[in-house]
Amino acid sequence: MNRTIVVLVLAICLNCRLGSALERNSRRLLCDNFLGLFCGNSKCPPEGFDSVKDFDVRKYISAPWYIQEQMTNSYQRKNSLFCVRAKYELVDDGDITKGLRVFNYANIDKVNGEPMGAASTDDDQSFTELRALLPDESVPSKLKVGPKFLVDTLGQTVAETLFGNYWVVAVGESEDEELGYDWAIVSGGPPKVETDDGCRTGREFFNGVQVNGVGLWLFSRKEVDPEGTKVMREKARELGFDLSVLLPVEQKGCKYEGARQ
């Protein structure tokens, strides 16, 4: 690789840790795009790896999700793995192509600690609310997620190029037809990095500052779901994931104060 390019990538990535939260996230998006040009692994993802077929977005967003285990990343560290919850709503009930409103919630340092994420009201949330977009309506299990303000300022088409992959790679069908799914496994796109125990998302270098293309989450409709978690871990292993990246999320006793209902 050209030495000048290497120096430029290093400078951008190191600079991702400086400045305000908004500035850091914007620089991290640039960092991810640079790294994507030079990093990768030919042995991962596993052959045939893909997102869920015949996926129903409306059922998927019919109720909140409670994260049971997840991989940490640059915007959600280990100290925020308390009461992690996700709620999704259609931007336009009549037009799924306009995407989803994303309301993530977590507590810092302890159960019912300081909240982080989007607020429960419809007040201005330009810098906290996320947006999930569907680049291809025929494959709704492959979404792109990023800050809402990028859609507002750059437009949906440009924002898609900056947003990170959000792939629903496995689901557990529910006996409740309206609910649709009892659990789901979400990945930050295909796991491209080979480890001793399988494949993981992210990149081999600078993973600690990466926003896009990194992450693994085990979702359940239940706040505390050890049985569902066991099933999801087995499924994730079958898909080729390295489970050592997963950390437990504490949900017992959570009040989810301020979370989107």
Side-chain angles (χ1 to χ4, degrees), residues 113-124:
E114 179 184 352
M116 62 178 288
S120 61
T121 67
D122 280 321
D123 296 335
D124 183 19

Side-chain angles (χ1 to χ4, degrees), residues 47-58:
E47 184 177 356
F49 184 90
D50 205 350
S51 61
V52 173
K53 307 296 183 185
D54 302 318
F55 180 70
D56 190 326
V57 170
R58 293 182 183 274

Side-chain angles (χ1 to χ4, degrees), residues 144-155:
K144 305 277 283 187
V145 175
K148 173 182 178 291
F149 78 87
L150 288 180
V151 178
D152 295 338
T153 57
L154 302 176

